[in-house]
Amino acid sequence: MMDTRTKLAIEAGFLFQQKGYHGVGISEVLERAGVPKGSLYHHFPNGKADLALAAAEIAATEVLRIIDASFDQAGNYANGVTTFCYKLAKYFDIHEGKIGCPVSATLLGGPDNAAFRDALSGIFARWMGRIADYAMQFGQSQQEAEQSAKRLFLSLEGSWTLARARGDSNVIRQLPGLVC
Amino acid sequence: MMDTRTKLAIEAGFLFQQKGYHGVGISEVLERAGVPKGSLYHHFPNGKADLALAAAEIAATEVLRIIDASFDQAGNYANGVTTFCYKLAKYFDIHEGKIGCPVSATLLGGPDNAAFRDALSGIFARWMGRIADYAMQFGQSQQEAEQSAKRLFLSLEGSWTLARARGDSNVIRQLPGLVC
Amino acid sequence: MMDTRTKLAIEAGFLFQQKGYHGVGISEVLERAGVPKGSLYHHFPNGKADLALAAAEIAATEVLRIIDASFDQAGNYANGVTTFCYKLAKYFDIHEGKIGCPVSATLLGGPDNAAFRDALSGIFARWMGRIADYAMQFGQSQQEAEQSAKRLFLSLEGSWTLARARGDSNVIRQLPGLVC
Amino acid sequence: MMDTRTKLAIEAGFLFQQKGYHGVGISEVLERAGVPKGSLYHHFPNGKADLALAAAEIAATEVLRIIDASFDQAGNYANGVTTFCYKLAKYFDIHEGKIGCPVSATLLGGPDNAAFRDALSGIFARWMGRIADYAMQFGQSQQEAEQSAKRLFLSLEGSWTLARARGDSNVIRQLPGLVC
DNA sequence: AATGAATGAGCTTTCATTCAT
DNA sequence: AATGAATGAAAGCTCATTCAT
């Protein structure tokens, strides 16, 4: 079985991604996780904020996993990007178009403090770094690779937003044609 | 002087952009606007939702104005993009790095209903349409222009997000080099 | 009818005196006053703390009223003290021995901040000042009067405590013999 | 070393004296004592109430010790009172004026039951009895001694209260001039 | 049109206690 | 004896909205 702490963070993650930090009530998380009220503060002493940071971290790692799965067996950078975008689009559809960037909604929507901003920019840096690594593996110079990664990342963030506004994941699928 | 309705929408807009729909309380808006408690529902019968839609509309129009100001006197498309990005970066700095896309935070963070999504995708369409218009004026084919506009818009949305996470507007200023 | 604000402060006063600041829940006050939850913060923007300060102020004024009623028609200081103590003992009995000094329990039991301490020491100063005034009216020098007032006040505070511990108001009635 | 039970009672005592029974949380006591969550109920099966009674008992005994230390080597009753008050004033100052009567706050602030009231009145009786004993040793009749002890005790309780309100221990030091 | 009061559901968090190991 | 997890009631407070004037 999954331990209580992880279960809470995962359920919270789904909800935060859909409705944003302030759009989700603790009770809702607890109910979905099947965990009683008082338990949360045992595992997350700082409450909702801790929960959001943990949820973001889990989502961030999951995205890294998807990046790896997309690029590991790609023949070249463009193929990797395409697989990556298709996987994300599928993920978007599974959640009925209600989910955007899994960390922006959670952390940018939350309290405006250094811990949240640092966590967010750290996660973004890790994502771009990983993509750049693959770009270099496929022959790009470091500078080119960083440009490519940044171009992909920025457009991807935008696509998540536009896809949600439209309720349509095709924006994400069309991304490779736009940035490669 | 500015009428009460507009004053409310503008103050609400600043707050929504910073903290998202659910992160802003009606009282906070009322207090900042110096408007008494009971007044809101005279001007916005549907309450907070109406207020958010009005605030988004004002912000959307302001962005269109900035697009015009940037491209009207640009010699070519790339120059227009550069001016546009510099203006937005300056706007970002004025608000101490606390403000991202002026409509995403307001509407995406809000209740998940058709009215909000339609308003949001409509605004995005208008922005991209206006940019595409200028791209065509500077010689691009319609298809090229739409690609250019989309590329700029998606990256811009991403840049707003990354800039907030980093607390640094340079991402926005570096955008022209990435998308042109 | 009594206005909502006053009704709240009075009911809160009774409860605070019996159970102390932290021993009383807002809901309990609201229920006794027949006032809905949200109303409290309209009349007392700082919530429980404001309520306690208001309650203490009302109780303080009531004690001044009792001092006046006791000394105004007394032939000499000792008679005034006796009447005063008997009135307080009767008040104690009416509340079934559950009430001590009406402001100590409320304010000393509360948050340890300057506002509470200042309010409390201000009230004590007013009480002693009023008693000293009467002592001077009955012929004591200012210095004597201040001594008398302090002696009475300090013992009275102690009597309230001892009376509660014993559940017996006689300590208060025996006070005149001890301090005059 | 001090055993866990005693350590808990002492730390609880300090906190109860400052903030009253309901103003102190179990977690706070546990944390200050460096004792794990589950441990409390091994040492105090009835929980918080037991803890408060134990804390009060320790404080009561400490006060008796101070009475003895003050009167044992005093040449007369007034000297003993003076030493006693100075010691208490010093104790008050050490705790930064945040501590009043070490048992009133703990027990009067607590649940309104017989056990608490009996413990409190018993402690007060012991204190007055001990002071009366010394008064008799210094030549007072039993009746005189009981009067003296009561006068001192009641004023002392009042002084503790006034000292806290003022944040100034001088009231306690001036007590001998008022009651002797 | 304007306004302060009212409203109760809901918020995040802490509470004292009990449980299983 | 010792302990971290669990528990749900209750805490104080804010919410968006409606009402009466």
Side-chain angles (χ1 to χ4, degrees), chain B residues 159-170:
Chain B
S159 298
W160 265 323
T161 303
L162 185 54
R164 279 191 72 185
R166 288 186 177 167
D168 177 2
S169 59
N170 281 328

Side-chain angles (χ1 to χ4, degrees), chain A residues 53-67:
Chain A
L53 291 168
E57 191 52 44
I58 289 178
T61 305
E62 174 67 8
V63 168
L64 285 178
R65 215 189 46 73
I66 296 177
I67 294 176

Side-chain angles (χ1 to χ4, degrees), chain A residues 132-152:
Chain A
D133 287 345
Y134 283 109
M136 282 191 282
Q137 284 184 25
F138 288 119
Q140 297 188 19
S141 73
Q142 183 174 342
Q143 202 177 355
E144 283 173 326
E146 284 173 359
Q147 281 265 87
S148 297
K150 194 173 183 181
R151 192 181 289 117
L152 174 57

Side-chain angles (χ1 to χ4, degrees), chain A residues 98-129:
Chain A
K98 293 182 175 170
I99 281 187
C101 168
V103 301
S104 302
T106 303
L107 296 183
L108 264 192
D112 182 27
N113 63 31
F116 270 53
R117 265 197 312 276
D118 290 351
L120 188 56
S121 70
I123 288 168
F124 287 165
R126 267 186 281 159
W127 288 354
M128 284 189 275

Side-chain angles (χ1 to χ4, degrees), chain C residues 108-167:
Chain C
L108 263 193
D112 182 27
N113 61 33
F116 271 52
R117 264 196 313 275
D118 290 352
L120 188 56
S121 69
I123 288 168
F124 286 165
R126 268 187 280 157
W127 289 354
M128 284 189 276
R130 188 70 65 96
I131 294 167
D133 287 346
Y134 283 109
M136 282 191 281
Q137 284 184 25
F138 288 119
Q140 297 189 20
S141 73
Q142 183 173 344
Q143 203 177 355
E144 282 172 326
E146 285 173 358
Q147 281 265 88
S148 297
K150 196 173 183 182
R151 191 180 291 118
L152 175 57
F153 167 73
L154 294 180
S155 312
L156 176 58
E157 282 289 322
S159 298
W160 264 323
T161 304
L162 184 55
R164 278 191 75 186
R166 289 185 177 169

Side-chain angles (χ1 to χ4, degrees), chain D residues 55-133:
Chain D
E57 192 53 42
I58 289 178
T61 305
E62 174 68 7
V63 169
L64 285 177
R65 215 190 46 71
I66 296 177
I67 292 175
D68 290 339
S70 304
F71 284 90
D72 267 345
Q73 306 188 346
N76 55 45
Y77 177 70
N79 277 358
V81 170
T82 303
T83 307
F84 181 44
C85 290
Y86 271 70
K87 281 182 188 289
L88 292 176
K90 190 174 168 191
Y91 184 78
F92 180 90
D93 289 334
I94 286 172
H95 291 93
E96 299 168 355
K98 293 182 177 171
I99 281 188
C101 167
V103 301
S104 301
T106 304
L107 295 182
L108 263 192
D112 182 26
N113 61 32
F116 271 53
R117 263 197 314 275
D118 290 351
L120 187 56
S121 67
I123 288 168
F124 286 166
R126 267 189 280 159
W127 289 354
M128 284 188 275
R130 188 70 65 96
I131 293 168
D133 286 347

Side-chain angles (χ1 to χ4, degrees), chain A residues 153-175:
Chain A
F153 167 74
L154 293 179
S155 311
L156 175 57
E157 282 289 323
S159 298
W160 265 322
T161 303
L162 185 55
R164 279 193 73 186
R166 288 184 177 170
D168 177 3
S169 59
N170 280 327
V171 197
I172 305 173
R173 284 197 188 78
Q174 294 158 3
L175 205 51

